[in-house]
Amino acid sequence: MFILTTISDLIQISPEDFSKFSAVAIEDNINAKYANKVIQKIGLCISFYDLLESSDGLIGHGTGLVNVNVKFRMIVFRPFKGEIMLGKISSGTEHGIKIGLEFFNDILIPPGMLMENSRFDLAEQVWIWENDEGSEFFFDVGEVVRFRVEAEEWHDQVPNAPELGDETPQERRPPYSILGSMQMGGTGPITWW
């Protein structure tokens, strides 16, 4: 679920951070730049892990910022395909079940990835699974579920032009999302098992 990724970058330290130790100022600026951000094809950056290398700081002309070339490792959220995870159902729509973790909410279980004989109840806005014996089991909002990671989707975030006239705004897709399944035994709400 979590991996360590090595990144090389130029970090700028402002004069307000000069009173801090160099390592602390570098760490604070790395966290400000990367924490809670998605890097395409890498994952969601969680936090700074350790500093591997840093150059001497050079003061930028006219800005007073100190530029430091650094090589560091970040803790990154990126589950692997086939990984079994726990999450909470945040909503159900005809497009599938949305699942959230404490720090990540872009997980979707599409209708084709639910157990056979699953249907969406439009009145109650909930998915229902009917087993072979005719019993109904509900995928209620707030239920803790076990699901399997099937695929990742990456969307490059490009800036939107200002809206002119009667154009309908395009829906922004998340930069990183996960598609999962609940087709195997043991997956679905943990209260069932």
Side-chain angles (χ1 to χ4, degrees), residues 57-152:
L58 299 173
I59 298 175
H61 179 69
T63 62
L65 298 174
V66 174
N67 299 310
V68 182
N69 287 310
V70 293
K71 186 176 182 181
F72 58 94
R73 292 190 295 180
M74 290 288 297
I75 300 170
V76 175
F77 171 72
R78 186 174 184 186
F80 58 88
K81 185 176 179 180
E83 184 171 354
I84 304 294
M85 298 178 61
L86 289 174
K88 251 186 201 173
I89 296 177
S90 56
S91 68
T93 66
E94 58 274 355
H95 302 293
I97 297 174
K98 296 272 289 178
I99 296 178
L101 307 176
E102 289 183 27
F103 57 90
F104 188 77
N105 292 318
D106 294 316
I107 303 169
L108 177 68
I109 312 297
M113 297 291 207
L114 290 169
M115 294 178 186
E116 206 172 303
N117 300 326
S118 293
R119 61 181 164 74
F120 183 66
D121 186 334
L122 200 55
E124 292 191 36
Q125 294 290 304
V126 69
W127 279 89
I128 302 169
W129 171 55
E130 189 175 321
N131 69 3
D132 296 334
E133 294 139 20
S135 300
E136 290 184 339
F137 295 91
F138 293 81
F139 292 92
D140 291 322
V141 173
E143 244 346 290
V144 175
V145 294
R146 188 174 290 119
F147 65 96
R148 181 174 182 215
V149 175
E150 297 296 338
E152 302 172 308

Side-chain angles (χ1 to χ4, degrees), residues 22-89:
S22 297
V24 173
I26 290 170
E27 179 180 342
D28 289 349
N29 282 284
I30 289 171
N31 271 327
K33 185 173 182 176
Y34 286 97
N36 202 25
K37 307 272 190 319
V38 171
I39 300 176
Q40 288 291 309
K41 306 294 185 191
I42 293 178
L44 173 67
C45 294
I46 303 296
S47 177
F48 172 83
Y49 183 73
D50 65 355
L51 184 64
L52 302 175
E53 296 175 10
S54 67
S55 68
D56 291 334
L58 299 173
I59 298 175
H61 179 69
T63 62
L65 298 174
V66 174
N67 299 310
V68 182
N69 287 310
V70 293
K71 186 176 182 181
F72 58 94
R73 292 190 295 180
M74 290 288 297
I75 300 170
V76 175
F77 171 72
R78 186 174 184 186
F80 58 88
K81 185 176 179 180
E83 184 171 354
I84 304 294
M85 298 178 61
L86 289 174
K88 251 186 201 173
I89 296 177

